[in-house]
Amino acid sequence: MKIALLGYGKMGKTIENLAKQRGHDIVIKTNKETGYDISIADVAIDFSVPDAAFNNVVKCFKNRVPVVSGTTGWLDNYNKAVSICNEEQGAFIYASNFSLGVTIFFELNTQLAKMMANLKDYNVSIEEVHHTQKLDAPSGTAITLAQSIINEHPAYQKWNLNTETAHSIPITAKRIADVSGKHTISYSSPTDSISITHNANNRQGFAQGALVAAEWLYGKTGVFTMKDVLKIS
Ligand SMILES: NC(=O)C1=CN([C@@H]2O[C@H](COP(=O)(O)OP(=O)(O)OC[C@H]3O[C@@H](n4cnc5c(N)ncnc54)[C@H](OP(=O)(O)O)[C@@H]3O)[C@@H](O)[C@H]2O)C=CC1
Ligand SMILES: O=C(O)C1=N[C@H](C(=O)O)C[C@H](O)C1
């Protein structure tokens, strides 16, 4: 496939290397909003910055170029993007975390929240740790995890960053040099605790998941998730 990389930073470069190994051609790599013709690409992969992602994906929809986006911190505009994608008959996959392990971890989190829903002694908390260049906090992955718990657990209605309030899931965000991404969900009672953790050893897993998603999306129309790509029911 001819791939456009919208965002050529840490992730863009990691995806470029893996895409070449998988036999793809990189026809656009850009850190800017303008100055390229997106229609020459078979598929676009957006790992840019929160302020740019919405415009990047809309440009792809309007040019009927399927687009995979992993950029976090722009999800207030996600529903608008979905509407435009459907109007323009585009193709779109967004994931706050493309690693195959996290796609499974999201399912474990949902199942654990269901099991904990009636156990009033346990309080949940989320911790995420990332490298110091990360622009957004909490991470997109932590927000996805919190939202799934809120959907399943009657005690929680919202999440809070670095503060604890009633009916709220506390999320702690830590920034430590060179950490690719670590997420832990903990349920603690006065007598014991249960934690599940996903740790990204490097960025290869995110890149692999994004490329698998792009290969799957090519030739399709509609809005999908990684559960569709990996056939998780
Ligand atoms: N979903 C997932 O699995 C993952 C998501 N991410 C997310 O992906 C995003 C990128 O991460 P990462 O590569 O580490 O970040 P980087 O900062 O290394 O790269 C982002 C790049 O986007 C560029 N950029 C700025 N404006 C635009 C624009 N208008 N169009 C295209 N590119 C632009 C920046 O250029 P300049 O420096 O010149 O401003 C920079 O090179 C983040 O939001 C991060 O949270 C990261 C890893 C995994
Ligand atoms: O910025 C990053 O690096 C990452 N961002 C994503 C997020 O915000 O969840 C995914 C991953 O944890 C790496």
Side-chain angles (χ1 to χ4, degrees):
M1 296 187 306
K2 293 178 192 155
I3 298 180
L5 295 175
L6 309 182
Y8 190 59
K10 292 183 283 299
M11 279 304 299
K13 288 170 186 158
T14 309
I15 292 168
E16 178 183 37
N17 286 335
L18 201 58
K20 286 180 178 166
Q21 288 169 32
R22 292 170 82 101
H24 300 301
D25 293 326
I26 307 301
V27 292
I28 295 169
K29 40 189 182 188
T30 183
N31 282 328
K32 300 216 164 64
E33 199 167 323
T34 54
Y36 60 91
D37 176 8
I38 193 67
S39 67
I40 66 168
D42 293 326
V43 64
I45 303 181
D46 166 80
F47 279 83
S48 59
V49 292
D51 286 348
F54 177 75
N55 287 344
N56 283 346
V57 299
V58 168
K59 181 184 285 194
C60 294
F61 302 152
K62 291 192 184 285
N63 287 276
R64 298 264 175 97
V65 175
V67 58
V68 166
S69 175
T71 307
T72 53
W74 67 279
L75 278 208
D76 288 352
N77 280 322
Y78 175 77
N79 288 338
K80 207 166 145 191
V82 166
S83 297
I84 299 171
C85 180
N86 288 327
E87 278 162 25
E88 300 288 342
Q89 294 176 288
F92 183 36
I93 296 179
Y94 172 79
S96 58
N97 195 310
F98 273 98
S99 86
L100 306 186
V102 162
T103 310
I104 301 301
F105 188 64
F106 283 153
E107 295 305 302
L108 290 175
N109 173 54
T110 300
Q111 292 307 319
L112 187 53
K114 281 183 187 166
M115 287 190 264
M116 286 293 182
N118 293 320
L119 300 183
K120 294 189 172 46
D121 284 348
Y122 289 87
N123 291 316
V124 74
S125 61
I126 297 175
E127 181 184 90
E128 58 101 333
V129 190
H130 284 87
H131 54 94
T132 48
Q133 293 98 50
K134 186 159 177 61
L135 296 179
D136 53 323
S139 66
T141 307
I143 294 172
T144 304
L145 291 164
Q147 201 53 55
S148 298
I149 296 168
I150 291 164
N151 291 344
E152 301 297 340
H153 199 305
Y156 299 104
Q157 293 158 7
K158 58 188 167 100
W159 55 264
N160 275 111
L161 179 61
N162 295 332
T163 50
E164 290 195 31
T165 60
H167 309 299
S168 178
I169 301 168
I171 304 179
T172 306
K174 294 184 177 166
R175 297 292 172 259
I176 299 172
D178 299 330
V179 176
S180 299
K182 185 173 175 184
H183 293 89
T184 301
I185 303 138
S186 300
Y187 288 83
S188 299
S189 81
T191 54
D192 61 6
S193 59
I194 299 176
S195 294
I196 56 172
T197 296
H198 178 272
N199 184 48
N201 297 334
N202 50 51
R203 292 186 173 81
Q204 296 292 322
F206 309 134
Q208 183 195 19
L211 278 164
V212 167
E215 288 163 357
W216 183 89
L217 190 62
Y218 181 48
K220 294 189 174 67
T221 301
V223 178
F224 305 96
T225 68
M226 280 302 273
K227 282 179 74 168
D228 299 310
V229 177
L230 299 178
K231 297 185 174 58
I232 296 170
S233 52

